[in-house]
Amino acid sequence: MSIAIEEARAAGARGEVPVGCVVVRDGTIVARAGNRTIADHDPTAHAELIAIRAAASTLGSERLTDCDLYVTLEPCAMCAAAMSFARIRRLYFGAADAKGGAVEHGVCFFAAPTCHHRPEVYGGINESECGELLKSFFQARR
Amino acid sequence: MSIAIEEARAAGARGEVPVGCVVVRDGTIVARAGNRTIADHDPTAHAELIAIRAAASTLGSERLTDCDLYVTLEPCAMCAAAMSFARIRRLYFGAADAKGGAVEHGVCFFAAPTCHHRPEVYGGINESECGELLKSFFQARR
């Protein structure tokens, strides 16, 4: 998670919402990314989606069966569904997101009957540090 | 929708699930795509996500404010959320998807309080033709 936090800091320094993500397999980092929606003019360029795409490309498979994903913020519906399609094994996330989250909030995607693969989920990892990054980013923008 | 159906047919011919998508602005096609999850080793390469990314890249903006999206199948949660982030104006879809859909089925994403932009939605456009493509694709695979 400390590397996901590094990615989040780097994203914030670029003026992006500070969220970072790492995909790990067998103790090795397969992909790491921060948000890039503004830089890439890409509404889908959340840290998780970029990292999942990069990991799948690196591993040459659309299924990341033995991979775990670390992200500093509770994933949205887009990213949660992408994790399900990618067969992510375990999801570790930092701060909860009552406004846009889709794991413990909103549509609670992994609990839906139309979700056909559910990772094991561990929330609240380095929660205060992950949340503080977001809080200070949005405070500075006001 | 006829061009989305062309894209779906082309995807099916490549061995992908036959779903196609078109993004239109001011009566002009900005992007068109079919599913490419297998070819690209990319679990996120649904027709809609590819078309949204291509349209945003072409228009140089992460917001597709005046754009309408046509897709042959009811979008999943990943694609519905991506449409919301992209500020798609109107969504026209073909066949309903009770198993994986997230517009009229499953998490009904656009109705969730954590969805902050909802397109106007028109379902059932060329429904039988769109559905028939999928049905014959999966029948042939059995």
Side-chain angles (χ1 to χ4, degrees):
Chain A
M1 186 61 91
S2 63
I3 294 165
I5 291 172
E6 268 180 35
E7 288 288 343
R9 277 191 209 288
R14 293 191 304 266
E16 307 272 356
V17 175
V19 178
C21 178
V22 176
V23 175
V24 175
R25 190 191 190 197
D26 295 334
T28 305
I29 291 176
V30 183
R32 52 190 284 176
N35 266 357
R36 298 192 57 86
T37 56
I38 300 165
D40 291 355
H41 302 308
D42 182 354
T44 75
H46 288 191
E48 303 97 304
L49 222 73
I50 300 171
I52 287 171
R53 298 180 71 224
S57 173
T58 297
L59 299 175
S61 167
E62 54 157 331
R63 302 213 167 160
L64 306 177
T65 311
D66 298 319
C67 293
D68 302 330
L69 186 149
Y70 296 76
V71 59
T72 58
L73 182 67
E74 178 184 348
C76 72
M78 176 179 75
C79 294
M83 285 168 212
S84 177
F85 295 142
R87 308 291 196 275
I88 290 289
R89 182 175 60 175
R90 294 188 192 110
L91 160 64
Y92 301 88
F93 72 84
D97 183 4
K99 198 184 159 212
V103 176
E104 292 180 347
H105 295 92
V107 300
C108 298
F109 181 71
F110 297 131
T114 49
C115 170
H116 307 295
H117 168 84
R118 294 161 185 80
E120 287 173 37
V121 177
Y122 304 91
I125 316 291
N126 297 67
E127 186 170 10
S128 58
E129 193 177 358
C130 293
E132 199 50 53
L133 265 175
L134 284 153
K135 207 171 144 187
S136 49
F137 176 83
F138 286 112
Q139 267 172 354
R141 300 223 133 193
R142 256 173 218 148
Chain B
M1 186 61 91
S2 62
I3 294 164
I5 291 172
E6 267 179 36
E7 288 288 344
R9 277 190 210 289
R14 293 191 304 265
E16 307 273 355
V17 176
V19 178
C21 178
V22 176
V23 175
V24 175
R25 190 192 190 195
D26 296 333
T28 304
I29 291 175
V30 182
R32 52 189 287 176
N35 266 357
R36 298 192 57 87
T37 55
I38 300 165
D40 291 355
H41 301 306
D42 182 353
T44 76
H46 287 190
E48 302 98 304
L49 222 74
I50 300 170
I52 287 170
R53 299 181 70 224
S57 173
T58 297
L59 299 175
S61 167
E62 55 158 331
R63 301 210 168 164
L64 306 176
T65 312
D66 298 318
C67 294
D68 302 329
L69 187 148
Y70 296 76
V71 59
T72 57
L73 182 67
E74 179 184 348
C76 73
M78 176 180 74
C79 294
M83 284 169 214
S84 177
F85 296 141
R87 308 289 196 275
I88 290 289
R89 183 175 59 176
R90 295 188 191 110
L91 160 63
Y92 301 88
F93 73 83
D97 183 4
K99 196 184 161 212
V103 177
E104 293 180 347
H105 295 92
V107 299
C108 298
F109 180 72
F110 297 129
T114 49
C115 170
H116 308 294
H117 167 84
R118 292 161 185 81
E120 289 174 36
V121 177
Y122 304 91
I125 316 291
N126 296 65
E127 187 170 11
S128 57
E129 194 177 357
C130 293
E132 197 51 53
L133 266 174
L134 286 152
K135 206 171 142 186
S136 49
F137 177 82
F138 285 111
Q139 267 172 354
R141 300 223 134 192
R142 255 174 220 147

